[in-house]
Amino acid sequence: ELKVEQNPLFLSMQEGKNYTIYCNYSTTSDRLYWYRQDPGKSLESLFVLLSNGAVKQEGRLMASLDTKARLSTLHITAAVHDLSATYFCAVASYGNQFYFGTGTSLTVIP
Amino acid sequence: NAGVTQTPKFQVLKTGQSMTLQCAQDMNHNSMYWYRQDPGMGLRLIYYSASEGTTDKGEVPNGYNVSRLNKREFSLRLESAAPSQTSVYFCASSGLQGARTEAFFGQGTRLTVV
């Protein structure tokens, strides 16, 4: 069974600061996803990473994938309050099952 | 375009009662999923259906049954609810969106078993 580890679980950061969330997974996969979840809401797709070295950026968020290290990162640049949410990484198996990390609860403090 | 629709949004059950969570998608996806979300544990896969007529157990299937009624609908049944099944349940579907496979989620069902 594919295992996905995400850290940190909780992250409190000041506005304007940078930080990185890490996502490690246990077996080979060709697809990695990042989702955002606001309190009481569903999951919203942020990024889909399909190949080694893939980098995607949207606003203050940038995601990257290293398939050899089985590692993805979500980098936050100059955080703003609107980024406060829980972020999940998910890895898809070859059988098309999605396995999720435990999530990182991000709070951006003014 | 409704995407993934699940009902109900909220439910309170007494221990031992049964209920069915309904899920439908209008994106013509083959794969559908049921997850439960608990604090500090992320989303855990309960059951998975790769196509109409097929279902497979996920990580935490005990206490649940599913039915893939047709390509659009995938229901989750709790035959005898237990307090440990208090959770938020998400239905999802996945399929090709352009050149890549993506998963889309319903709005969730918040279930409390007392």
Side-chain angles (χ1 to χ4, degrees):
Chain A
E1 182 179 296
L2 200 156
K3 298 288 186 185
V4 182
E5 292 185 355
Q6 192 175 334
N7 65 83
L9 293 182
F10 300 95
L11 177 57
S12 180
M13 55 191 299
Q14 287 186 314
E15 279 191 333
K17 298 293 186 181
N18 304 333
Y19 208 84
T20 300
I21 299 170
Y22 297 88
C23 176
N24 289 91
Y25 54 98
S26 60
T27 60
T28 303
S29 172
D30 60 350
R31 288 170 284 152
L32 189 131
Y33 302 79
W34 284 97
Y35 289 88
R36 169 182 172 144
Q37 185 182 36
D38 293 300
K41 303 293 186 181
S42 188
L43 281 77
E44 172 192 354
S45 178
L46 292 175
F47 300 109
V48 181
L49 302 169
L50 299 177
S51 60
N52 188 43
V55 177
K56 295 282 184 72
Q57 183 163 5
E58 181 74 31
R60 300 173 188 276
L61 300 177
M62 183 174 71
S64 66
L65 178 61
D66 181 344
T67 57
K68 294 179 181 178
R70 296 177 188 161
L71 170 69
S72 180
T73 60
L74 181 66
H75 188 72
I76 303 152
T77 302
V80 294
H81 180 69
D82 286 351
L83 291 179
S84 295
T86 299
Y87 293 85
F88 291 94
C89 64
V91 178
S93 71
Y94 290 111
N96 214 30
Q97 297 184 38
F98 288 72
Y99 293 86
F100 284 80
T102 51
T104 296
S105 177
L106 171 65
T107 303
V108 180
I109 304 167
Chain B
N1 189 347
V4 180
T5 303
Q6 60 180 105
T7 57
K9 291 185 179 179
F10 301 94
Q11 184 72 49
V12 178
L13 290 179
K14 293 182 179 179
T15 297
Q17 285 186 317
S18 62
M19 78 162 295
T20 300
L21 281 65
Q22 306 287 352
C23 177
Q25 53 93 8
D26 61 4
M27 295 175 282
N28 201 36
H29 287 166
N30 285 320
S31 299
M32 296 187 73
Y33 314 81
W34 277 105
Y35 289 91
R36 61 178 288 173
Q37 183 178 26
D38 302 291
M41 303 189 77
L43 278 78
R44 292 182 293 169
L45 183 64
I46 304 172
Y47 269 95
Y48 160 65
S49 172
S51 61
E52 182 180 351
T54 68
T55 61
D56 289 290
K57 293 179 180 179
E59 184 182 0
V60 287
N62 291 343
Y64 306 95
N65 286 301
V66 291
S67 295
R68 182 75 182 266
L69 303 170
N70 46 56
K71 192 170 186 178
R72 291 187 65 247
E73 298 173 289
F74 189 39
S75 62
L76 178 72
R77 182 159 178 85
L78 287 70
E79 290 291 351
S80 178
S84 61
Q85 294 178 306
T86 293
S87 188
V88 180
Y89 291 85
F90 286 98
C91 176
S93 70
S94 74
L96 277 174
Q97 301 293 130
R100 62 192 189 195
T101 299
E102 290 205 52
F104 298 86
F105 288 80
Q107 291 302 303
T109 297
R110 187 171 295 275
L111 174 66
T112 302
V113 183
V114 298

